[in-house]
Amino acid sequence: MRHRIIVLGAGYTGAIAAGRLAKRLRREDVAITLVNAEPDFVERVRMHQLAAGQDLKPRPLSEMFAGTGVEPRLAKVTGVDVDRKTVAVIDANGAEELAYDTLVYALGSGWNAQGVPGTAEHAYEIAGRPGALRLRERLARLDAGQTVVVVGGGLTGLEAATEIAEAHPDLDVALAARGGLGDWLSPKGREHLWTVFGKLGITVHEHAAVTGVEADRVATADGKAIPAAVTVWTTGFAVHPIAKATALEGTGTGQIVVDATMRSVSHPDVYAVGDAARVMGPGDKPLRMSCASGTPTAWRAADAIAARLTGGKLPNAPIRYFNQCISLGRKEGLIQYVTADDRAVQAVLTGRLAAVYKELVCKGAAWGVVNPTLGLPTRRRRVTRERAAAGSAAKALA
C-alpha cells in the first residue's frame, strides 16, 4: 500500500511541492495526486500583463507532469475533512471523496474586496486568470480619454497601473493609494517610481482611502469622487475559504498556522504552503503573501515530508527576503533590496536593467514549475517509518 499524498492547488507553491516530492521519493512507495480546478498552470505574477492585452504561453498540467509520477486531477475542491483525512471534490463526473495520508494545502488566495460597498458589483480584479481576462475585454472596449482607476498602492497596484498605462496610452490611468506612493520603498526607489509614473502620465491620488465604488466613480474617505470608467481593485488578497471551514488551527483571516516545517500545528498530517499558511519569518514577523514567500515554503514542506517519510534530516535553513521585484511596464522596473525581514535598504536597481532582472525572475519561477523534476539531484529514498506506521494503523482498523 503506497503512502497517499494529495496536493491541493497547482499554482506556484502546489506545483513546486508536488514536483519536488516526486523527485525525492520512490514511485513504488508514494502516490502523489495534484488537484486543480483548471487544466493549466497559471503564471499569477503576470496577470497584469494578461489584463493589459498580452498573451501568455499555455502550460497544461498533463504535459508538465507527464512521466514524473505526479497524477494531475482536474477537479474543484469543495471541502476537507482533516479528522477523516478526506478531500471532497467535484469534476465532470460528479462529486467524490479522495483519501490521503499526507495533505499539502496550497489553495492560495483570491482578491479581497475589503467589504467596501460596490466593489463586488463594479470593480475588476486581477488575482486570477478569469478576472484578468474580464478586465482585458473591458479595457479593449474603452474609448480614448476614458479613465481607469487602479485602487491599491501595493506591488500589484503599481504593476497594474504601469502595465495598463503603457499598453493603452490613449486611456487616462490613475492610481488611488491609501498612503503615499511607494512609501515603504527607499528614497531612491520612490524617486524612480515617481519618474516612471510621470513618463507614463499616471495620475496619483495619495492618502486616498476608497470607501465606495460606483459604475463611473470611486468615493474616498475625505469626500472626494474620482471619475472611473473602469475600477481595478488591488488592495490585497483573501485566503481561500476552504481551510477556515475545517478543524485546522488557523488565524482570523483563514490562514493555517504551521510550524517551521510548514506542518499544521493541530494536524500533523497536513502541511500548508504559500498564501494559505501563516509562516513566521525573520524578526518574528509573518511572511507576506507573495511568490517570493510561497516558493521557499513549498520547498520546505516537500523536503520536510520526504524527510519524515524516509527518516532523513529535516530542513532548517531560514526563509528570508532579499529584494522586491517590481515591473513598471515592459521597459522599466524597480528592484528594491531589503533586509531579511523585508524592510527597504538604500540600494536599488532601476530602469531597463531592472525590467530585465524582473523578467528573468518570472521566467525562472515558471521554469521551476514547468520542469518539476529537473534541476534537483536525484535522491529518491524509500519510505520507511511513517509508511510502516500508516500500514499498522490500517491493519488495526481492518
Side-chain angles (χ1 to χ4, degrees):
M1 182 177 178
R2 294 190 295 170
H3 189 93
R4 301 161 298 182
I5 302 175
I6 294 181
V7 182
L8 303 183
Y12 286 97
T13 58
I16 287 172
R20 199 171 178 96
L21 285 166
K23 189 70 173 179
R24 293 282 189 256
L25 302 170
R26 289 162 51 95
R27 297 181 192 177
E28 298 88 348
D29 295 340
V30 295
I32 304 172
T33 303
L34 178 61
V35 182
N36 200 57
E38 296 189 60
D40 300 329
F41 163 68
V42 177
E43 291 185 81
R44 189 175 180 183
V45 297
R46 294 190 188 274
M47 290 300 97
H48 57 289
Q49 296 175 233
L50 183 64
Q54 299 167 44
D55 293 324
L56 304 182
K57 181 180 179 181
R59 303 180 186 278
L61 297 174
S62 58
E63 294 180 11
M64 286 169 47
F65 289 98
T68 65
V70 176
E71 179 188 355
R73 175 70 184 272
L74 182 60
K76 179 181 179 181
V77 178
T78 57
V80 177
D81 189 328
V82 292
D83 295 319
R84 294 176 54 239
K85 299 176 69 170
T86 59
V87 176
V89 301
I90 187 168
D91 60 16
N93 297 317
E96 185 180 353
E97 276 194 342
L98 308 177
Y100 65 83
D101 298 305
T102 297
L103 180 71
V104 180
Y105 187 100
L107 290 179
S109 61
W111 76 310
N112 190 352
Q114 306 283 3
V116 175
T119 304
E121 295 83 2
H122 302 298
Y124 290 78
E125 53 90 9
I126 55 173
R129 182 162 57 182
L133 289 174
R134 180 170 169 259
L135 175 58
R136 173 188 179 123
E137 189 275 334
R138 182 69 182 100
L139 292 175
R141 291 189 286 109
L142 291 179
D143 295 327
Q146 289 189 284
T147 300
V148 177
V149 176
V150 177
V151 180
L155 300 183
T156 304
L158 299 180
E159 294 192 330
T162 50
E163 201 75 50
I164 293 170
E166 182 183 270
H168 298 274
D170 58 326
L171 299 177
D172 183 4
V173 178
L175 178 80
R178 179 179 292 273
L181 181 66
D183 55 8
W184 74 93
L185 299 170
S186 67
K188 289 182 179 179
R190 291 195 298 272
E191 180 182 357
H192 184 68
L193 200 57
W194 276 107
T195 298
V196 174
F197 270 55
K199 289 180 180 178
L200 292 172
I202 301 172
T203 301
V204 179
H205 300 276
E206 294 187 295
H207 308 291
V210 173
T211 56
V213 179
E214 299 179 28
D216 60 352
R217 72 192 68 191
V218 298
T220 62
D222 58 4
K224 294 181 180 179
I226 303 173
V230 169
T231 299
V232 184
W233 196 264
T234 68
T235 63
F237 302 108
V239 180
H240 196 289
I242 292 288
K244 201 169 186 178
T246 71
L248 291 165
E249 182 174 334
T251 66
T253 61
Q255 286 184 304
I256 299 169
V257 180
V258 298
D259 64 16
T261 65
M262 307 302 118
R263 199 180 201 180
S264 164
V265 297
S266 62
H267 292 73
D269 42 30
V270 177
Y271 292 73
V273 295
D275 292 353
R278 183 180 186 271
V279 183
M280 301 307 294
D284 202 30
K285 292 166 55 178
L287 299 182
R288 59 182 165 88
M289 293 184 183
S290 65
C291 186
S293 305
T295 296
T297 67
W299 295 338
R300 175 68 59 86
D303 291 351
I305 292 169
R308 288 190 169 108
L309 288 176
T310 63
K313 183 179 179 180
L314 289 172
N316 59 9
I319 296 178
R320 56 153 298 164
Y321 294 103
F322 296 94
N323 52 44
Q324 295 179 10
C325 302
I326 311 169
S327 66
L328 303 172
R330 296 297 87 204
K331 301 175 183 177
E332 282 280 357
L334 170 60
I335 309 302
Q336 174 66 67
Y337 295 97
V338 298
T339 59
D341 62 349
D342 209 27
R343 290 176 290 113
V345 298
Q346 290 300 313
V348 297
L349 183 66
T350 62
R352 179 62 179 171
L353 186 57
V356 172
Y357 186 111
K358 172 62 184 291
E359 180 62 21
L360 289 175
V361 168
C362 292
K363 286 183 176 179
W367 187 93
V369 175
V370 176
N371 299 277
T373 56
L374 295 178
L376 291 172
T378 300
R379 293 181 296 181
R380 291 190 179 93
R381 296 181 178 179
R382 182 178 295 280
V383 171
T384 55
R385 293 183 301 179
E386 289 200 11
R387 181 190 180 193
S392 297
K395 289 178 181 178
L397 294 172

